[in-house]
Amino acid sequence: MVDINRYSGQIAINDISIDGQKRLSGSTVAVVGIGGNGAIAAELFARMGIGRIRVIDNDSVRENNLHRQFLYGEDDLGKPKVISAAGRLKAINRSVEVDTVNDYLTEKNSASLIRGSSLVYDGTDNFASRYAINSACFDLGIPFVMTSSIQYWGEIIPVLPGKTACLKCLNIPVVEEGSCSRIGIFPTAVVLTAAIAVSAAVSILTGKLEAGYIKIADARNGTVETVITERNPACPVCGKLTYKSG
Amino acid sequence: MKLRVRYFAMFRDIAGVDTLEMDFTGRKVLDLRKIISSANPEFERRGMLIAVNERYAEDSMDLHEGDTVAVFPPVSGG
């Protein structure tokens, strides 16, 4: 049952309408990593009425998170992020079911943590986790949106298994530059990145994503560049996979 | 051939330029990658992704007169 009054603002948009809102309300989104990008995304998912949100993280709230991680405040310092996040998400929208997983996603546990999701929002901060999500999502046929941001910049890659290019298709190199606190991250970068990525997630959940791409967001200059991607038939992860509409 | 090369994200800061016009004597994306890496050794260390005319490009792709090439890093943080 869709709460028409609560979501009237987005139902009024043709792309969403009642049908799209029903899809959102019937969806489960796993947010892996609820730091900069993931925390904003989780809040947006709760506000727009995603039916169930699973927050996955093993970190605690630290003072140097607060300038960019929107779900947390000074009262949350030292607490597990998933606990603080769940409380905030329920306070925003009590009709949303929130599952908490106080654990890091690894190659070993990735499938069990994301199983049953309609979509995975990758808010992690390293390529080992991203490739683990990439593989698990292809094994389980779950679409996902990869996000990353550092300093003023962000990148967003939505992936529909068997339909659009995956991270392996693109052969994205594993480059670990260090933490956001070391390299630097400006809060507008995570806001811009999450806004674009959540829009991509909604496109997937409402069945409207047609082609793969990389978006490169520049929060300093206020620009977003788009690079169209295509699947690689020789990809070891998805080369032989055929897309099945959900 | 003449190419238009654009740098995105932190590559703009590292190269100190957004866009440049280049007289390119090679043939493929790989040839261009080597030229750009030579001028900006930091790029390969950070990982260098390339798009041609707004499409993701592999090193084996041929380049043509007037192509616009985008060069950008994989962003690693979260």
Side-chain angles (χ1 to χ4, degrees), chain A residues 51-168:
Chain A
R52 180 179 289 269
I53 301 170
R54 185 178 306 154
V55 288
I56 303 168
D57 204 311
N58 191 35
D59 214 351
S60 298
V61 180
R62 286 169 289 165
E63 190 176 25
N64 65 0
N65 298 151
L66 297 183
H67 80 294
R68 70 185 186 282
Q69 300 191 11
F70 277 49
L71 288 176
Y72 319 114
E74 291 176 6
D75 290 345
D76 299 304
L77 291 175
K79 294 179 183 171
K81 285 184 179 176
V82 293
I83 301 300
S84 294
R88 175 71 181 144
L89 296 176
K90 291 296 284 185
I92 290 168
N93 190 345
R94 69 170 68 91
S95 69
V96 174
E97 299 294 330
V98 182
D99 302 329
T100 59
V101 179
N102 194 4
D103 200 356
Y104 285 122
L105 181 141
T106 65
E107 202 172 329
K108 275 189 175 176
N109 68 11
S110 55
S112 65
L113 295 190
I114 66 172
R115 184 171 279 115
S117 304
S118 317
L119 179 134
V120 173
Y121 185 97
D122 172 9
T124 63
D125 63 359
N126 64 88
F127 279 96
S129 298
R130 290 184 186 125
Y131 273 111
I133 290 169
N134 190 69
S135 295
C137 282
F138 275 86
D139 289 345
L140 298 171
I142 299 172
F144 68 101
V145 181
M146 191 221 80
T147 70
S148 57
S149 48
I150 202 91
Q151 296 183 348
Y152 291 104
W153 303 288
E155 283 175 2
I156 302 98
I157 306 177
V159 181
L160 268 178
K163 184 168 181 178
T164 67
C166 79
L167 303 189
K168 274 287 184 193

Side-chain angles (χ1 to χ4, degrees), chain A residues 130 155 170 177 220 230, chain B residues 13 46 54-56 73 77:
Chain A
R130 290 184 186 125
E155 283 175 2
L170 304 175
E177 292 191 283
R220 183 171 59 189
E230 289 176 7
Chain B
D13 287 7
R46 291 176 181 269
E54 299 178 0
R55 290 189 168 268
Y56 197 76

Side-chain angles (χ1 to χ4, degrees), chain A residues 36-37 123-127 130 147-151 153-155 170 172-173 175-178 180 190 214 216 218 220-221 223 225-230 232, chain B residues 6-14 18 33 42-59 70-78:
Chain A
N37 292 320
T124 63
D125 63 359
N126 64 88
F127 279 96
R130 290 184 186 125
T147 70
S148 57
S149 48
I150 202 91
Q151 296 183 348
W153 303 288
E155 283 175 2
L170 304 175
I172 293 181
V175 181
E176 306 296 1
E177 292 191 283
C180 287
V190 293
I214 303 173
I216 304 136
D218 182 334
R220 183 171 59 189
N221 294 315
T223 59
E225 309 284 350
T226 303
V227 170
I228 302 297
T229 61
E230 289 176 7
N232 176 1
Chain B
R6 302 180 67 204
Y7 297 131
F8 294 161
M10 64 179 64
F11 280 3
R12 283 185 178 169
D13 287 7
I14 294 169
D18 288 4
R33 177 187 293 277
E42 181 81 1
F43 282 14
E44 279 295 356
R45 190 186 70 73
R46 291 176 181 269
M48 192 162 81
L49 307 179
I50 294 177
V52 177
N53 300 329
E54 299 178 0
R55 290 189 168 268
Y56 197 76
E58 295 185 6
D59 283 348
V71 183
F72 56 103
V75 170
S76 66

